[in-house]
Amino acid sequence: MNPVLYLWFLLLASDTFAYIQDGPSSLSVYALRLGPGEEIVTSLFKFVQEKNLRAPFVITCVGSVTKATLRLANAEAQNTNEIIHLKERLEIVSLVGTLNEEAHLHISLSDKDGKTIGGHAMGDLEVFTTAEIVIGELSDLQFTREMDERTGFPELVIRPRSENTTSA
């Protein structure tokens, strides 16, 4: 069987097909800078609410923090894994993810020796000197989260935005 047709068949036969957007969306881009002492996740939620964004995501972020709370990899619904609280000056190497009501953000941070740690950003990301963040919004889509019985977590659901849809 043709590999492309086989992949298409697998997508049609699986439940995950409902989560795949089949067309392009226009993109709006916003840039913001946070200063010393500001908490990144809280500031991002506030920004998303103020702008009434319905399919927002972090394109890029660089800067530094003095604190961070991360959930490390390999989590399951019954075992959410180790949560660590960092309290030192760290460079933001990367911050990416979706920013809908139940955000899904991953961050990579490096210490004074260049050692890097990363995980699910739980919050408590206090800016040291700056956080330069570029946020995108897919103008034709809407992000929500719904419980996925296969994973045991609320997972991203992507839907076309309609005129009748209210923001989440």
Side-chain angles (χ1 to χ4, degrees):
M1 176 182 258
N2 178 317
V4 174
L5 288 175
Y6 180 70
L7 178 60
W8 181 249
F9 173 76
L10 286 176
L11 287 173
L12 284 175
S14 74
D15 291 337
T16 59
F17 185 72
Y19 303 109
I20 298 172
Q21 173 63 26
D22 62 347
S25 176
S26 358
L27 175 66
S28 298
V29 179
Y30 302 87
L32 66 145
R33 178 181 173 264
L34 302 177
E38 292 186 77
E39 202 283 318
I40 294 172
V41 176
T42 302
S43 298
L44 289 173
F45 281 143
K46 183 178 176 186
F47 182 83
V48 165
Q49 287 177 334
E50 286 175 358
K51 299 291 183 186
N52 195 29
L53 305 181
R54 296 184 7 209
F57 59 98
V58 176
I59 296 173
T60 189
C61 173
V62 296
S64 58
V65 294
T66 57
K67 297 192 303 185
T69 300
L70 308 178
R71 185 185 73 215
L72 301 180
N74 201 29
E76 297 173 348
Q78 297 77 25
N79 172 19
T80 57
N81 272 354
E82 184 178 359
I83 293 178
I84 60 170
H85 303 278
L86 305 170
K87 291 186 181 187
E88 61 182 298
R89 293 179 181 170
L90 301 158
E91 287 291 319
I92 300 169
V93 178
S94 174
L95 174 67
V96 295
T98 54
L99 287 169
N100 53 303
E101 198 169 297
E102 296 179 48
H104 188 183
L105 296 169
H106 287 194
I107 192 165
S108 295
L109 301 164
S110 66
D111 68 13
K112 62 182 176 46
D113 298 319
K115 293 179 184 168
T116 303
I117 188 163
H120 182 92
M122 301 295 292
D124 204 23
L125 298 171
E126 186 177 290
V127 175
F128 173 47
T129 59
T130 191
E132 302 165 4
I133 307 168
V134 179
I135 298 170
E137 186 197 25
L138 299 168
S139 305
D140 304 321
L141 302 176
Q142 178 170 318
F143 293 164
T144 59
R145 291 206 172 267
E146 295 177 10
M147 184 56 71
D148 186 324
E149 292 178 15
R150 295 169 299 167
T151 67
F153 289 100
E155 301 291 1
L156 181 67
V157 177
I158 305 161
R159 291 191 174 96
R161 191 180 300 188
S162 69
E163 295 300 317
N164 298 349
T165 306
T166 59
S167 63

